[in-house]
Amino acid sequence: MKTVLITGANKGIGHEVARQLAAKGFHVFVGARNAKAGRKAADEIGKKCGKATFLEIDVADNDSVATAAREVTKISDHLDVLVNNAGIIVDGDDAILEIGDELFRKTLETNTLGPLRVTRAFAPLLRKSKAPRVISVSSGGGQLSDGADGWAPAYCISKTALNGVTVQLATALPKFAVNSVCPGWVRTDMGGKNASRSVEEGADTIVWLASEAPQDLTGKFLRDRKEIPW
Ligand SMILES: NC(=O)c1ccc[n+]([C@@H]2O[C@H](COP(=O)([O-])OP(=O)(O)OC[C@H]3O[C@@H](n4cnc5c(N)ncnc54)[C@H](OP(=O)(O)O)[C@@H]3O)[C@@H](O)[C@H]2O)c1
């Protein structure tokens, strides 16, 4: 049975990715830092769609990530797919010259360092897969090619740096498929109710990369199943 871990899967895009991959026959590890919300999400997905196991994981906390990797090792001898989905925008992230170090640090800790530390911790299990895949949920806000529009600078910079992590990991892990995805503007707690896309639309490219995309597609940034500029 194929296995996948999705971080921040208790709600939003991560929850939808978990639901769809369970329906496709994956054993889904539903990662969440909030045990109550994570257990509830895993129970719901397990009842309706297939095999889902709650996994407590706070991507901003090294000990939590290390414990989570040990827990998965007790249940499964391999991990096929890691979806680094957990992410935050911190209140007050609206003017580059006024952002304090703490806000910046907190944003980078979760959005950039988080995916790197989770990938590092789960690499031994991923290496045991025949076709390991790492998908990091980034944002068009992190693209450098069109310049910045000033919106949420710390968040956008954290996603630019996350894309750097993707490229470095793709080089370091040549047998893996490692990619970044922009889900578009999605109706979640983060995206708000006026966003243009449903969670199903936001999850589409992530689910495709996890299950159907060619294994030699690596080191790219994608939206709507197509490569986009960094
Ligand atoms: N929505 C959009 O328009 C949009 C656009 C581009 C990119 N994205 C990206 O898509 C991803 C998912 O966003 P979303 O829209 O689904 O947001 P969301 O509904 O706010 O969900 C974010 C998820 O990340 C979790 N999370 C945050 N910090 C965490 C940590 N330290 N450890 C573990 N989990 C943590 C949250 O857990 P709690 O419930 O405990 O807070 C929640 O499950 C993010 O990386 C985001 O940057 C979203």
Side-chain angles (χ1 to χ4, degrees):
M1 195 173 201
K2 284 211 166 189
T3 51
V4 57
L5 164 61
I6 301 141
T7 62
N10 54 290
K11 66 179 187 181
I13 296 167
H15 183 271
E16 178 59 19
V17 171
R19 196 189 65 76
Q20 289 191 28
L21 288 176
K24 280 180 178 287
F26 278 78
H27 176 188
V28 177
F29 288 95
V30 176
R33 61 179 166 176
N34 176 324
K36 198 173 164 203
R39 240 179 230 114
K40 186 165 175 270
D43 285 351
E44 273 169 20
I45 292 167
K47 268 186 207 127
K48 287 189 201 149
C49 302
K51 193 162 181 194
T53 303
F54 163 61
L55 183 72
E56 188 163 343
I57 181 166
D58 181 341
V59 306
D61 179 335
N62 260 318
D63 289 346
S64 168
V65 171
T67 304
R70 280 197 297 274
E71 284 304 309
V72 174
T73 308
K74 285 182 202 159
I75 301 169
S76 176
D77 61 2
H78 72 288
L79 183 69
D80 293 295
V81 184
L82 167 64
V83 180
N84 287 310
N85 165 78
I88 52 167
I89 297 184
V90 180
D91 284 348
D93 180 9
D94 41 31
I96 183 76
L97 291 175
E98 281 151 39
I99 294 169
D101 289 358
E102 263 322 296
L103 186 155
F104 231 112
R105 225 174 253 131
K106 194 173 171 195
T107 306
L108 290 167
E109 186 72 52
T110 300
N111 294 359
T112 310
L113 202 46
L116 176 57
R117 73 160 61 88
V118 178
T119 307
R120 200 168 50 210
F122 283 87
L125 275 170
L126 285 159
R127 282 185 207 279
K128 291 185 182 151
S129 165
K130 288 195 186 98
R133 296 172 178 220
V134 177
I135 301 150
S136 291
V137 185
S138 183
S139 167
Q143 278 176 299
L144 292 174
S145 40
D146 282 335
D149 62 8
W151 173 77
Y155 173 80
C156 290
I157 290 167
S158 75
K159 296 297 191 180
T160 307
L162 172 60
N163 288 344
V165 169
T166 290
V167 173
Q168 292 286 340
L169 286 174
T171 302
L173 300 166
K175 291 192 179 137
F176 287 40
V178 187
N179 293 290
S180 279
V181 173
C182 168
W185 186 25
V186 183
R187 291 187 291 279
T188 61
D189 285 351
M190 184 186 286
K193 60 180 185 321
N194 295 325
S196 53
R197 294 185 175 201
S198 64
V199 280
E200 289 83 356
E201 289 167 313
D204 177 74
T205 301
I206 303 164
V207 170
W208 176 73
L209 280 171
S211 56
E212 289 170 43
Q215 184 67 20
D216 63 358
L217 177 64
T218 190
K220 307 290 186 209
F221 190 17
L222 297 106
R223 183 192 294 130
D224 296 331
R225 303 188 183 195
K226 292 195 181 72
E227 191 178 346
I228 58 171
W230 296 108

